[in-house]
């Protein structure tokens, strides 16, 4: 079956630090990959996505590259801000007609000023 | 467009009672999804609709759970004979179709079963 594994949190960084949140997956077919973010008190929002191998998704200074050879989709940002504090979820949608997203457990990111 | 709306936002009930949650998707979206999220976990897929047709159901959706979308607009998720293990956040999401990948999520309905 499909599964997503992401690094456990909380991850605590200082402002302007470099961020990496690891995500690896197991899936049938050729999945699309997503990062969602949940800010305190808000619903999940799509942060970025990639639909095929070697695609890079980017948004708000965040990036992630779809690596089929390592089945990974690590999230990176060069310089984090306090406003990036949130819970980040890696997710996939596999091909073959299945439409539901499979999520990882989430990584709580805390950025200190 | 006000986004995906869910209500009630919070529900506290006693074990054995029935509860119903409502989701109003973004108006032009024909696909509607239900997920469940427990503390410290990611959302788990429950079921989805394309218009009024329920096309996929997770094994997580026991016989006590039923979802409907009678006119292809809003949807309801009913849990009968609630158990403490049903305590969770129930999330609804919608999107426009198979080639529009982004899911838009509501803020969720939190259920506490005492």
């Amino acid at each position: 079956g499909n599964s997503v594994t992401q690094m456990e949190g909380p991850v605590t960084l200082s402002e302007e630090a470099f961020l990496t949140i690891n995500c690896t997956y197991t899936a049938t077919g050729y999945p699309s990959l997503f990062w969602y973010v949940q800010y305190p008190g808000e619903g999940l929002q799509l942060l970025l996505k990639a639909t095929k191998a070697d695609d890079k998704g980017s948004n708000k200074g965040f990036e992630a590259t779809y690596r089929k050879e390592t089945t990974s989709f690590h999230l990176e940002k060069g310089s984090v801000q306090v406003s990036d504090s949130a819970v980040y979820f890696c997710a996939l949608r596999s091909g073959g007609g299945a439409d539901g997203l499979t999520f990882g457990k989430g990584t709580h990111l805390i950025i200190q000023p | 467009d006000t986004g995906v709306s869910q209500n009630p936002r919070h529900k506290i009930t006693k074990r054995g009672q029935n509860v119903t949650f409502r989701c109003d998707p973004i108006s032009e979206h024909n696909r509607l999804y239900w997920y469940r999220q427990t503390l410290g976990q990611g959302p788990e897929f429950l079921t989805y609709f394309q218009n009024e047709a329920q096309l996929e159901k997770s094994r997580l959706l026991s016989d006590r759970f039923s979802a409907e979308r009678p006119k292809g607009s809003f949807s309801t998720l009913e849990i009968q004979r609630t158990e403490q293990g049903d305590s969770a956040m129930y999330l609804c999401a919608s999107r426009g179709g198979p080639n529009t990948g982004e899911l838009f999520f509501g803020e969720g309905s939190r259920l506490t079963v005492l």
Side-chain angles (χ1 to χ4, degrees), chain A residues 34 36 38 41-46 49 89 93 97-106, chain B residues 9 31 33 35 37 40-43 45 48 56 91 95 100-107:
Chain A
F34 305 83
Y36 277 80
Q38 188 169 32
E42 299 184 15
L44 284 161
Q45 303 172 25
L46 179 66
K49 68 178 182 182
F89 293 92
R93 177 183 293 117
D99 205 62
L101 287 174
T102 300
F103 284 86
K105 291 186 177 182
Chain B
R9 295 290 309 280
R31 294 195 174 201
Y33 303 75
Y35 287 81
Q37 185 177 17
Q41 303 294 316
F45 171 75
Y48 96 95
E56 189 177 346
L91 302 172
R95 68 181 179 131
T100 57
E102 181 175 357
L103 282 183
F104 291 84
F105 281 84
E107 294 183 354

Side-chain angles (χ1 to χ4, degrees), chain B residues 38-100:
Chain B
T38 53
L39 199 60
Q41 303 294 316
E44 297 171 295
F45 171 75
L46 293 178
T47 187
Y48 96 95
F49 294 82
Q50 181 169 308
N51 300 313
E52 67 275 7
Q54 189 172 18
L55 295 187
E56 189 177 346
K57 292 169 66 172
S58 162
R59 285 190 297 265
L60 293 174
L61 213 64
S62 76
D63 291 345
R64 296 183 298 104
F65 287 68
S66 63
E68 295 183 344
R69 195 183 183 198
K71 297 182 180 177
S73 56
F74 72 92
S75 175
T76 57
L77 177 68
E78 181 183 17
I79 309 173
Q80 297 182 324
R81 305 182 303 281
T82 52
E83 302 173 356
Q84 288 184 328
D86 297 332
S87 295
M89 180 76 85
Y90 290 86
L91 302 172
C92 179
S94 70
R95 68 181 179 131
N99 296 320
T100 57

